[in-house]
Amino acid sequence: MGCAPSTQSFQVNENETRLIQEIDRLRNKEQSQQSPPQVQPVALAFSPAPSQAAPQKNKNLPKVGDPVLAMWESTPWQYFTATIVSFNSKALKYNINWDDQDPTGRVIDYYNLALDRVPEPDEIATGSTVLFPQGKYCGQAGVRLGGLRYHQGRITRVHNGDRGQKLYDGIHTKGESDNKWVTYQGYSLYFRGVEISQLRISPNVLDILSAQDPEPASSQQANTVDGGIRPCDIFISYTKANSPQAIKNRELASSDAPPSYDEAMLSSICDPRDIRYQLEGCGAKVNGDKQAADSLIQTVQQINTAKVFVACLSDEYVQDEICRQEFQYAKKTVKKPVIPIVVGSGSFDWMMTVVGLLIAGEVYIHFSSKDVQELKMTELLKAVKKSVPAVRVPDGMGSAQEIQTTEATPAARTLGPADVFISYCWVNSEDAHKAKHVKEFIGSSFADPRKVHAGLAANDKFSIWIDTQRLRTTNQNDESLGMFAQIAEGLGKAKVVLAFVSKQYANSENCRMEIQFALKSLKKPVVPVIVGADDDWQNTVVGLLVAGQENRPINLQDVSSEDVLQQKVQEIQSSILPLLGLKEETRSYRAPVIGDHVISHHIKWAYFPASIVSFDRETMSYTVDWDDGDPTGKVQSYKDLAIDEIPSEDQVGVDSIVFFPQGSYGATAGNNIGGMRFHQGIITRVYKDSSGIWRYDGHHTKGETDGKWVTYKDYDYDFNGIPLEHLRIAPNAMDALMACQQAFS
């Protein structure tokens, strides 16, 4: 091994201390027994839960002959390659042979060792503790060979490389204060751009313990509750950092309590212990509260025999080593049905961790505050009951159907097959960001897929499938549909898919899966809607799929107001209806009628938004109410206004007369509230930009000689690159005359 300051002592954090205490307890017990009785398998102590699959062989469980990375005792927190020679199952220590043939430090505690295998993608995420290579050491003749140094680090960022491969950035977890040698050649506090093939992870202590033959509990212990050693129907996993009761009782160090938890927050958040007590009150057998001296072997036994695993997820939960290992053991090793519930302060940073990866595709129950605890408890009981039929729902708690009715919008209460399936990336939804479902938001606040859904649902022309209202909570057992199965069912029954495409959508494996499944497997018609902030998605698989289908993309990236958004909603609806075999209700005339929103002339050839109040058949003039509240100029000729709707592409070409926006105006006390000015212009050029969006150039049709005001701020004779959704067109004279006669006769 490489040289370093000599020391045998090093510090460990609280979670590591808990693990070491458990090992010491096992060692002391072994030493105190002169003739230890034959250890019986778990199955003799507890009966396995019915209908549960046997634990799978764990890929990250080291065994004799396996290559590993192990910490050399002479240089704490540096790891080198070795091979396992033997394993002491009582002391949980490995004997190894170093690859460089060094004869020292060959007995290794399990927590200072990692199997030399490439981790699976769902085993590493933000916050994961890993071993990473940094620096080399030279050999010494007759003593050892040279090789790579490995170190313990924490992942801080996961991103994609130039070839689309996942890359990992991170930081050392140990430093000089931990007696780590930090002066070796090549040392840096940070590591960046490391591929998963270079990383290693330590085994889960629960996997190691489950591979042993733990002692059965005594009959007296088996009848206790708080001892946490009897078989249970439900294993509830939580961290004391999320328990107001534990915090108030000072059961954890002050440094471990979330810094944002003040007295007011403690009184409003849901306590996992209260959830446990309520589950017990409904007839379920639940594991007891954790104590410092609890046996991890007994934790393994209880998870093995539990019928369902309830995980109280939070940022603090994923930072607790024991909680994280409980979750991974239940989910990956013994394949227990898992019900994820969210507790704590409301942050969702945990979704970026390994725990978040493992439940990606599952619906969680959000115990956001005590105000919703009773409703959420009913939802939890319904999910638990699928695995534990004996659980009862108290009469006073209502029903899960009431929960859905309380939280859903009227349009979401239709539970039958939906006509339209909405596929989108949460990162492009401002609503999702405000709800803390995602850490960042990319796009326009007016181009939010969830807002488009709300607009379409309000029109009530067809039924819609969207995840926030259609996905049902499951306990992930064989009788219930997980998220992916529910999505597949929704796609299969839908007639049209509305796909909100973007760079983030194209980078999302789930989103790509949805659009590929819809287009390639199901042959569904897809209406693409462009959101996000750029057009990088066009060069991806998603871009190729969109380009190869028949329906024209609708671009929302330039939407900058609620009015324009509603117009886009109408355009999207108009694209969907024919695909459903329905027809948009259309007029046989293009002139406005009472109640229509219009762009109307005011004075000096400036046009502003208004609504039609009345029509004078004799003078062929309209009376309008201006959107800005201006009381003047409210009577205008039929030929000087247009319905405030986006024209179709075949209605605007070179030489078309249009209304276009240019400049804004401020409010005037007692007169108006300000707004955008429109003007009459003529189109001189039509073209598509690099994103495939139609753009229009032109110039004013009126000038100073026509009495037009041309000195306002932002005046320019020409206009360039205006998208279709910003243009409006007036009816021609004959059409207007005939339409007005038809509309008002």
Side-chain angles (χ1 to χ4, degrees):
M1 310 301 166
C3 298
S6 60
T7 176
Q8 295 288 337
S9 62
F10 49 90
Q11 298 177 348
V12 293
N13 62 33
E14 182 180 353
N15 288 319
E16 291 169 327
T17 301
R18 291 175 63 189
L19 301 181
I20 292 172
Q21 288 174 342
E22 174 63 20
I23 303 308
D24 289 340
R25 188 190 67 79
L26 293 173
R27 289 173 183 160
N28 293 336
K29 187 171 184 179
E30 177 190 11
Q31 294 170 1
S32 66
Q33 294 174 334
Q34 298 295 328
S35 301
Q38 184 176 358
V39 178
Q40 299 296 324
V42 177
L44 297 181
F46 302 122
S47 299
S51 304
Q52 296 295 338
Q56 290 194 352
K57 185 176 180 180
N58 193 286
K59 296 180 181 178
N60 198 35
L61 186 62
K63 58 185 183 297
V64 173
D66 281 344
V68 294
L69 295 173
M71 189 177 80
W72 189 37
E73 62 182 13
S74 297
T75 58
W77 311 118
Q78 289 196 90
Y79 299 76
F80 304 90
T81 55
T83 301
I84 294 176
V85 176
S86 62
F87 177 57
N88 185 332
S89 61
K90 292 294 184 182
L92 296 185
K93 283 180 175 284
Y94 291 89
N95 289 319
I96 55 100
N97 281 336
W98 298 110
D99 287 0
D100 65 6
Q101 301 176 10
D102 192 302
T104 64
R106 295 177 55 238
V107 179
I108 310 294
D109 284 304
Y110 79 92
Y111 48 82
N112 287 329
L113 173 146
L115 195 60
D116 191 7
R117 59 175 276 273
V118 178
E120 296 178 10
D122 65 0
E123 291 180 307
I124 298 182
T126 301
S128 293
T129 299
V130 299
L131 301 184
F132 68 96
Q134 187 182 82
K136 299 179 180 179
Y137 65 99
C138 299
Q140 184 176 344
V143 179
R144 59 174 176 262
L145 304 173
L148 287 174
R149 303 180 193 273
Y150 276 77
H151 314 268
Q152 189 184 91
R154 185 181 70 256
I155 300 298
T156 57
R157 179 178 176 234
V158 182
H159 54 102
N160 290 329
D162 295 338
R163 306 188 310 275
Q165 78 279 27
K166 273 192 168 52
L167 299 177
Y168 300 82
D169 299 347
I171 186 172
H172 281 269
T173 56
K174 306 297 179 182
E176 198 167 4
S177 62
D178 304 297
N179 295 315
K180 177 175 175 58
W181 184 32
V182 296
T183 56
Y184 60 85
Q185 185 176 1
Y187 170 79
S188 173
L189 178 61
Y190 303 98
F191 59 94
R192 295 183 174 88
V194 178
E195 295 192 19
I196 195 170
S197 60
Q198 298 175 278
L199 301 176
R200 300 294 181 264
I201 57 173
S202 295
N204 186 329
V205 62
L206 301 184
D207 287 329
I208 295 177
L209 294 173
S210 70
Q212 313 311 312
D213 288 333
E215 294 184 5
S218 68
S219 59
Q220 180 179 0
Q221 288 175 322
N223 292 325
T224 63
V225 176
D226 291 335
I229 57 175
R230 65 174 175 81
C232 56
D233 299 321
I234 303 168
F235 189 99
I236 184 167
S237 174
Y238 72 95
T239 175
K240 289 181 180 179
N242 291 136
S243 170
Q245 183 184 106
I247 294 173
K248 290 177 181 178
N249 292 344
R250 303 183 184 278
E251 296 178 31
L252 67 168
S254 58
S255 59
D256 292 333
S260 61
Y261 281 18
D262 54 22
E263 193 66 30
M265 177 168 285
L266 286 176
S267 65
S268 64
I269 63 176
C270 298
D271 193 325
R273 289 185 177 177
D274 290 339
I275 295 172
R276 180 173 73 86
Y277 298 149
Q278 286 187 276
L279 288 171
E280 289 180 327
C282 293
K285 296 178 182 178
V286 189
N287 61 302
D289 284 336
K290 300 175 185 176
Q291 303 296 330
D294 272 357
S295 167
L296 291 176
I297 287 182
Q298 292 166 356
T299 295
V300 169
Q301 292 174 336
Q302 287 198 306
I303 294 176
N304 285 349
T305 59
K307 299 172 183 175
V308 65
F309 183 93
V310 175
C312 301
L313 305 179
S314 67
D315 292 350
E316 295 75 33
Y317 182 92
V318 299
Q319 292 164 9
D320 187 309
E321 185 73 17
I322 298 299
C323 289
R324 190 168 66 247
Q325 293 198 18
E326 286 175 354
F327 187 94
Q328 289 176 302
Y329 178 73
K331 177 73 173 174
K332 293 202 69 176
T333 303
V334 293
K335 305 293 184 183
K336 291 292 175 179
V338 173
I339 302 176
I341 68 176
V342 178
V343 296
S345 62
S347 170
F348 282 80
D349 289 349
W350 60 266
M351 295 183 73
M352 307 302 294
T353 69
V354 165
V355 170
L357 288 179
L358 287 174
I359 64 162
E362 301 300 338
V363 186
Y364 54 79
I365 304 172
H366 192 184
F367 281 75
S368 57
S369 70
K370 286 187 176 179
D371 292 338
V372 301
Q373 182 165 335
E374 183 174 322
L375 291 174
K376 293 302 177 181
M377 196 67 208
T378 306
E379 191 174 349
L380 174 59
L381 288 170
K382 180 185 178 185
V384 166
K385 198 172 181 67
K386 295 175 182 177
S387 296
V388 189
V391 166
R392 60 184 181 275
V393 180
D395 295 337
M397 292 188 69
S399 66
Q401 285 74 21
E402 290 174 356
I403 295 172
Q404 293 173 345
T405 302
T406 301
E407 296 185 343
T409 62
R413 293 174 188 163
T414 302
L415 299 179
D419 298 318
V420 177
F421 182 99
I422 289 184
S423 175
Y424 70 106
C425 179
W426 282 16
V427 175
N428 298 132
S429 170
E430 184 184 44
D431 284 358
H433 183 248
K434 287 180 177 179
K436 297 184 178 180
H437 293 164
V438 288
K439 294 182 65 174
E440 62 177 343
F441 162 59
I442 299 175
S444 163
S445 60
F446 295 105
D448 186 333
R450 293 187 183 180
K451 291 179 181 177
V452 173
H453 162 261
L456 292 171
N459 291 344
D460 200 23
K461 297 291 185 180
F462 37 74
S463 56
I464 306 171
W465 194 106
I466 189 169
D467 53 5
T468 54
Q469 296 182 354
R470 289 283 184 151
L471 285 179
R472 303 181 300 275
T473 302
T474 76
N475 70 359
Q476 303 176 25
N477 64 16
D478 293 337
E479 298 176 358
S480 57
L481 292 176
M483 186 192 79
F484 293 121
Q486 293 182 54
I487 287 174
E489 182 183 55
L491 280 168
K493 294 181 178 179
K495 300 173 184 176
V496 176
V497 175
L498 185 61
F500 290 84
V501 297
S502 66
K503 176 181 178 180
Q504 295 71 40
Y505 184 96
N507 289 340
S508 166
E509 184 176 350
N510 289 349
C511 293
R512 290 198 307 272
M513 175 187 68
E514 289 175 4
I515 195 169
Q516 288 175 318
F517 183 59
L519 281 170
K520 295 297 185 181
S521 301
L522 301 178
K523 310 297 183 184
K524 299 284 183 180
V526 172
V527 175
V529 179
I530 303 171
V531 293
D534 52 51
D535 58 1
D536 292 352
W537 63 273
Q538 293 187 11
N539 298 320
T540 68
V541 170
V542 170
L544 294 175
L545 289 170
V546 169
Q549 55 88 50
E550 297 179 353
N551 298 302
R552 178 182 63 86
I554 299 171
N555 196 335
L556 299 190
Q557 289 182 339
D558 293 328
V559 175
S560 57
S561 69
E562 190 66 33
D563 288 342
V564 176
L565 173 59
Q566 293 308 313
Q567 292 159 9
K568 282 294 188 180
V569 168
Q570 290 299 124
E571 184 180 356
I572 293 170
Q573 179 174 289
S574 297
S575 298
I576 292 173
L577 287 174
L579 299 174
L580 296 175
L582 304 173
K583 291 184 178 180
E584 188 83 71
E585 293 182 6
T586 58
R587 301 174 181 173
S588 59
Y589 49 87
R590 292 167 52 193
V593 297
I594 294 173
D596 279 347
H597 195 256
V598 296
I599 301 297
S600 175
H601 177 259
H602 182 229
I603 56 173
K604 296 185 177 181
W605 301 112
Y607 296 73
F608 304 91
S611 295
I612 300 296
V613 175
S614 63
F615 175 70
D616 188 324
R617 192 179 307 175
E618 297 297 327
T619 62
M620 295 292 290
S621 61
Y622 290 92
T623 299
V624 301
D625 277 344
W626 301 108
D627 286 5
D628 64 8
D630 192 312
T632 66
K634 299 177 68 173
V635 178
Q636 298 292 333
S637 169
Y638 74 92
K639 59 185 178 181
D640 289 330
L641 48 75
I643 296 177
D644 189 13
E645 291 182 355
I646 301 171
S648 60
E649 291 175 2
D650 61 1
Q651 289 179 305
V652 181
V654 174
D655 293 333
S656 292
I657 302 299
V658 297
F659 298 150
F660 67 96
Q662 187 182 82
S664 59
Y665 64 100
T668 303
N671 184 269
N672 62 69
I673 60 172
M676 177 67 68
R677 288 190 178 92
F678 279 76
H679 312 269
Q680 190 184 90
I682 186 170
I683 300 298
T684 58
R685 179 182 176 225
V686 180
Y687 62 97
K688 277 188 177 181
D689 64 13
S690 60
S691 300
I693 306 303
W694 286 106
R695 301 281 178 177
Y696 299 83
D697 296 349
H699 60 76
H700 285 267
T701 57
K702 305 294 182 181
E704 196 169 5
T705 58
D706 303 296
K708 178 174 177 57
W709 182 32
V710 296
T711 57
Y712 60 85
K713 185 180 179 181
D714 296 328
Y715 170 79
D716 192 324
Y717 177 69
D718 298 304
F719 59 89
N720 299 288
I722 292 183
L724 184 65
E725 56 261 30
H726 290 177
L727 300 177
R728 299 294 178 266
I729 56 173
N732 61 52
M734 290 300 297
D735 183 53
L737 287 170
M738 297 302 296
C740 288
Q741 183 177 356
Q742 180 180 349
F744 296 101
S745 59

